[in-house]
Amino acid sequence: GVKDGSWTVLQVVEALGSCLENTDPRTRGRGIQLLSQVLHQCYSLLQEKEVLHLVLFYENRLQDHHLVIPSVLQGLRALSMCEVLSPGLAVSVLKAIFQEVHVQSLLQLDRHTVYSIITNFMGSREEELKGLGADFTFGFIQVMDGEKDPRNLLVAFQIVRDLIAKNYALGPFVEELFEVTSCYFPIDFTPPPNDPHGIQREDLILSLRAVLASTPQFAEFLLPLLIEKMDSDLQSAKLDSLQTLTACCAIYGQKELQEFLPSLWSSLRREVFQTASEKVEAECLAALHALSACLSCSVLSSDTEDLLDSFLSSILQDCRHHLCEPDMKLVWPSAKLLQAAAGASLRAYHHVTCSVLPLLLEQYTKHPQSSQRRTILEMLLGFLELQQKWGHVEEDESTLLSLRAPVCSVVFSALTDPSVHLQLVGIRALTVLGSLQGFLSPSDLELVVDHLIRLSLHEEDSQSSEAAMEAAGSLAPIYPKVFTGRMVPRLEEELQSEREEESSRDHCSLRQRCLQALAAVSTHTSIVRETVPVLLQHLRKVQKGSEAGSAQDMVSVCQSLHRVALQCQRDTEGYWYYHQTVVPCLLAMAVQAAMQESTHPLLGKALLEEEVLAAMVPVISAATTHLSPELAAQSVSHVVPLFLDGEVSFLPQNSFPCSFQPFEDGECLEAQRRLVALLMAFVCSLPRNVAVPQQERLLRELLALSCSCNCPFTATTAAKCFAGLVNKHTAGQQLDEILQLAVNRMEPGLAEGPRRMQALTLLLWVTKALVLRYHPLSSHLTDKLLGLLGDAELGPAAADGFSLLMAESPDVLHKGCHADVRIMFRQRFFTDNVPKLVQGFHGAGPDVKANYLKGLSHVLNHLPKPVLVTELPTLLSLLLEALSCSDRVVQLSTLSCLQPLLLEAPQIMSLHVDTLVTKFLSLTSSPTMAVRIAALRCAHALTSLPTTVLLPYKARVIRALAKPLDDKKRLVRKEAVAARGEWFLLGSPGR
Amino acid sequence: GPGGGAPLENANPLIYRRSGERPVTAREEDDELPDSIDDREIFDILPGGSVPLRSAFLNRAHLIRSINDPEHPLTLEELNVVEQVRVKVNDAESTVAVEFTPTIPHCSMATLIGLSIKVKLIRSLPERFKLDVHITPGTHASEHAVNKQLADKERVAAALENSHLLEVVNQCLSARS
């Protein structure tokens, strides 16, 4: 009634009158409870005067019987939310609470009410409360003293934070306020199981840390506490102390830290030296970094001494000598401590490095062993990497610059060391030195490049050689001139040289290295302009030559070209240059070769091998995917007419003996037709918004080619190209027509005739194109595919086709080439088709049952693991049956489905333990290595089932696993050792 | 010396680098070609070869007192207790010999380390192999006595019936840490 205005609150009070004044405290309590509940409903409607009366009434009631108090507090909480509270009332309510109520003897909920009242007043009456001065702080300290409930603590901690953040007077009570909060540190709280309040230990830790690290006034009390707790036996206490220290450093200054620096340092050092926990070590290093940063940034008055130097000196004193013992355990902890301190500021860096760098350089010379030198150089590298943080080297203050000569000589000596590990560290150091602008002199740089060339080409170890190429790639954009002037010509020279004296095998691997290095160093437009012609020139040379293995050489060139394309995709200018240079050149060479093929079948044959064409596909694709729509349109207007109309004018060297007509009929055009692979690479990589000229005609030609061609390579490529275009084709009548046409050509082809396989390939690719984009026709095509599983001739290929549908295809129909791919297509395919597969399996004859299992395996194998684990139990009986299938693809994929299930759904799997043990053990003697490995992994995964379920099988499994211990393949033995070892441990002590 | 805390017995021991995972070769992936059992394969089987040891074991061994975090113990390899050069296998003759080097000449855990190595090999190798596990000559005070125990089949079998010993050995052999 009060809400809608028909009653006033005073009328309620009057009506309750007898009840509120009843002598029985229980009755009084109920009266007040009712009134408080009313107030909670309507506090916002109250008049100022009403509030005044109610507050006075409630304050008065605080002295009442303890049974009444909870309801009184409820009422006060409602009133504390009133906006019309007269000035002075908030203070008077709080004073009354502080005076009359012993908060910690109340129940949790009532204590929470008190905190709410305080929070409400602090939110709305800040000025009035501050008028109370330090009395308010003191009152609150008494209220929260002894609080135990985590829910209340979170509120209380928030109040303390506000007290400090909003500058309430703490007066003489700083230490008391610290005591009343710090007594909870470090937080030791484990939420009860099924806790409905959801308070985590981490919530309390962070909330308390925010209080403790909120003011420098706590420093003198907090720092000794942190130092003490760092020595705790509990790792969590250590971590909490360290993290709190780090948090404090953000607001402390030198003044707060001064007195405690020696103890802080010795605690941190002790922990880092002794701990085996990476976490503790990382937190210690973070805290040291924070301390060093804090000292570096403190604003000092003119008469105070700067403590950073003395602090760093003590660190150096304790750590420096350990750096001289590269074989001992403390060498790395010491280096990490020094690096943490040095990394905090430029000043700290200079202080530490001017002592440490000369020492490390000296130690490097003193220790002749490669392994020791490696440790020393790795430490040196750590310090060099810190310098990178500050960018360029400042001439006047850098110790590093003054040490240029010895640093370079140490790094260069590492590069010529026989130990590959040392070389690798040397190469990393070289990369860092090169990235410090202005550090390397021009003559150093030439030496650097020479070393990189030597390591790239002539170092026997491939790891070193690859690292050197990577280093060249990352330094090249910084010094493009040095690399174009020095490295590229050297590589070109090596590539062209024909050395008789060397064995052809060495020569071959040197050429490989040259090709790789040319690609690796192409990380800058100006370098790409130099290396691409060299690579293309080499490709022409290989094509002209008649050496055996030239196909492999061409593939290598293509791999290098591909890498260059990937590296310049972000560089618009370089990328367009690349596209304009490489794509026409490859097309021209291929067209040339195809024409020679029809006239002189022996010349230039290597270029047309499937392997080489397949290697060109990623080159053209990578050179196309990142084109802007305008440039792509320009390019497509040349390439499509080339294939449809033999329009060769845009190709370099375009005088050919006959015309290029890959879509025409004719025996002698077989070679030309293979080049559809290159068309596919280009046209299927175009951005979706680029229109393909004469698209409908192109689609019809591709369709015809895919159905009529006898060469599987060409037919498949045409089908893929068709599918790639269809996937991106805008929906509508045109698309429906072309799809209808495809279905009409496919269906008779599938039914009978010599080209059933081609028709199936087309069906698979078109289905994939449509499944990816959720096209309505896809279910019709999938059903057709499901039907073919029962076909004696095409069944196995159709089953393998499910893998094609689900897997990411490398050249077309993936996100990278702008295909329309819905993210959940696999799950959707699973939901739509797995029931049909299962049904088909049950209805199928014995000779084709395996096809269904295989199809199912492929679908399951490509499903994301979390989805698999939730969906699999329904298919479990089928999978167990599939284990008995003799097809090794089915076995393998079933085993790989079951393995995660064993780990993640052990309860369900336990029901089938008998079958599982028997099948797994029998598959460990499969003739296929991969099946044996998978079966042993499953046998291993079985051990995550409940021990009691497994124990009856222990002896049998251990006996059976003795046989694969003597398998002829090492990889199988390794799995057998792991699985058998784990079975031995089952149910035995100490597991 | 380090401030605070008790002084450590051996706070700065010599350490050695781990040799890292054995890379898989193309030959190993070929279904047809057999791979013979070689030294490295045996070394990888050894407890603490490439698998980090449970630190409980190291604690019991009092090798380094400061190590108490089960997540990052030093391995027997890092302490050079086992080294690949001290592993000899002859696949054709079915023999395996492993020498191990206790960290200090009076290491009280030498028998236990040897036992762990022996048990691990028994469990992991085909039965045809004859195993010989012994201390690197000249590195332990009671070398002879320990070697004798390790060579004694009955004693090894009996030791594995002792559930306390078995627990320590199993802990040492458990890869889960």
Side-chain angles (χ1 to χ4, degrees), chain A residues 231 235 266-267 269-270 273-279 322 325-332 371 374-375 378 927-930 932 940 943-944 962 965-971 973-974 977-978 980-982 984-985 988-991, chain B residues 1-6 8 11-15 17 21-22 24 27-38 41 45 54 64 66-69 72 74 120 122-126 128-129 163 166-167 170-171 173-176:
Chain A
D231 200 13
Q235 174 157 323
S266 78
S267 298
R269 183 193 54 201
R270 181 193 65 226
F273 279 2
Q274 290 183 18
T275 190
S277 152
E278 273 177 20
K279 249 196 213 140
H322 290 304
E325 302 169 325
D327 290 328
M328 308 299 265
K329 185 185 167 229
L330 291 185
V331 63
W332 271 111
S371 66
R374 173 183 169 196
T375 303
E378 275 180 335
T928 309
M929 166 167 72
R932 296 200 297 277
H940 190 168
T943 59
S944 56
L965 288 180
D966 213 359
D967 197 283
K968 69 174 177 184
K969 297 303 298 174
R970 180 171 297 128
L971 297 174
R973 295 195 294 264
K974 190 175 152 198
V977 167
R980 194 165 191 252
E982 211 51 51
F984 261 111
L985 294 175
S988 59
R991 185 189 181 214
Chain B
L8 299 165
N12 196 6
L14 269 168
I15 50 164
R17 289 188 194 262
E21 284 260 321
R22 178 180 194 155
V24 176
R27 184 198 156 88
E28 284 173 346
E29 282 173 341
D30 189 313
D31 228 325
E32 301 305 318
L33 305 172
D35 315 313
S36 64
I37 298 180
D38 61 12
E41 184 170 342
I45 287 173
R54 272 277 183 96
I64 307 170
S66 64
I67 290 176
N68 50 18
D69 180 350
H72 301 283
L74 288 175
K120 182 71 189 177
I122 292 174
R123 290 175 178 180
S124 307
L125 284 175
R128 63 186 165 92
F129 277 93
S163 73
L166 185 60
E167 181 180 345
N170 278 342
Q171 272 181 347
L173 299 184
S174 171
R176 301 171 187 205

Side-chain angles (χ1 to χ4, degrees), chain A residues 177-217:
Chain A
L177 189 61
F178 174 77
E179 289 295 335
V180 86
T181 47
S182 66
C183 61
Y184 302 100
F185 184 87
I187 295 281
D188 178 22
F189 164 69
T190 319
N194 309 321
D195 175 28
H197 310 292
I199 294 181
Q200 297 298 314
R201 172 196 175 89
E202 198 61 18
D203 300 331
L204 283 166
I205 288 179
L206 292 177
S207 172
L208 177 57
R209 184 175 306 153
V211 170
L212 296 178
S214 63
T215 171
Q217 295 182 76

Side-chain angles (χ1 to χ4, degrees), chain A residues 251-504:
Chain A
I251 59 151
Y252 286 3
Q254 171 168 320
K255 187 166 77 80
E256 284 74 28
L257 294 174
Q258 179 155 20
E259 188 188 337
F260 303 99
L261 282 174
S263 334
L264 285 168
W265 163 237
S266 78
S267 298
L268 291 172
R269 183 193 54 201
R270 181 193 65 226
E271 291 308 318
V272 173
F273 279 2
Q274 290 183 18
T275 190
S277 152
E278 273 177 20
K279 249 196 213 140
V280 170
E281 184 188 88
E283 292 301 341
C284 284
L285 296 174
L288 183 61
H289 182 93
L291 279 173
S292 175
C294 176
L295 293 176
S296 303
C297 303
S298 289
V299 178
L300 305 178
S301 57
S302 54
D303 55 341
T304 39
E305 181 203 358
D306 184 354
L307 291 179
L308 179 66
D309 285 339
S310 59
F311 183 62
L312 294 174
S313 297
S314 60
I315 299 176
L316 278 165
Q317 197 191 343
D318 291 338
C319 294
R320 210 173 169 269
H321 59 277
H322 290 304
L323 304 186
C324 307
E325 302 169 325
D327 290 328
M328 308 299 265
K329 185 185 167 229
L330 291 185
V331 63
W332 271 111
S334 300
K336 286 178 186 169
L337 284 166
L338 285 167
Q339 284 163 1
S345 70
L346 193 54
R347 210 148 52 87
Y349 182 74
H350 287 312
H351 185 112
V352 173
T353 50
C354 78
S355 155
V356 168
L357 291 186
L359 177 74
L360 289 175
L361 292 169
E362 177 198 302
Q363 290 301 313
Y364 185 90
T365 332
K366 270 194 186 162
H367 290 87
Q369 282 182 30
S370 297
S371 66
Q372 299 168 329
R373 290 188 155 190
R374 173 183 169 196
T375 303
I376 297 168
L377 189 57
E378 275 180 335
M379 291 191 281
L380 187 68
L381 179 62
F383 286 101
L384 295 178
E385 278 167 346
L386 289 177
Q387 171 88 48
Q388 269 183 313
K389 258 177 47 177
W390 290 288
H392 65 121
V393 185
E394 279 175 46
E395 301 245 354
D396 48 337
E397 23 180 7
S398 171
T399 30
L400 191 54
L401 210 54
S402 66
L403 295 170
R404 181 167 71 199
V407 167
C408 285
S409 97
V410 158
V411 172
F412 291 153
S413 101
L415 296 178
T416 48
D417 194 273
S419 154
V420 171
H421 294 297
L422 184 53
Q423 282 177 19
L424 289 171
V425 186
I427 293 169
R428 273 164 60 208
L430 203 60
T431 316
V432 175
L433 290 182
S435 69
L436 298 174
Q437 269 182 15
F439 182 79
L440 294 173
S441 71
S443 63
D444 287 337
L445 260 175
E446 291 185 353
L447 213 51
V448 165
V449 173
D450 289 347
H451 274 297
L452 290 178
I453 296 172
R454 177 182 56 78
L455 290 167
S456 300
L457 300 185
H458 303 294
E459 169 55 45
E460 264 178 49
D461 186 90
S462 62
Q463 251 185 311
S464 257
S465 147
E466 274 164 34
M469 293 185 200
E470 291 307 316
S474 60
L475 292 179
I478 313 176
Y479 313 101
K481 286 215 174 85
V482 187
F483 282 87
T484 46
R486 209 169 173 87
M487 188 156 179
V488 179
R490 271 291 301 285
L491 295 173
E492 185 178 5
E493 199 182 302
E494 290 284 352
L495 207 51
Q496 285 169 349
S497 71
E498 306 277 352
R499 276 180 224 164
E500 299 293 324
E501 70 271 27
E502 274 172 292
S503 71
S504 70

Side-chain angles (χ1 to χ4, degrees), chain A residues 554-569:
Chain A
M554 291 192 200
V555 170
S556 304
V557 181
C558 289
Q559 283 164 348
S560 287
L561 282 170
H562 182 226
R563 178 164 177 188
V564 178
L566 296 177
Q567 281 166 189
C568 64
Q569 278 175 340

Side-chain angles (χ1 to χ4, degrees), chain B residues 132-171:
Chain B
D132 171 23
V133 175
H134 59 266
I135 293 182
T136 311
T139 62
H140 196 271
S142 345
E143 185 184 319
H144 186 62
V146 174
N147 287 346
K148 217 168 145 189
Q149 282 201 52
L150 292 174
D152 185 338
K153 269 189 191 160
E154 272 172 341
R155 260 186 220 268
V156 171
L160 294 183
E161 297 297 313
N162 176 332
S163 73
H164 170 68
L165 275 178
L166 185 60
E167 181 180 345
V168 180
V169 171
N170 278 342
Q171 272 181 347

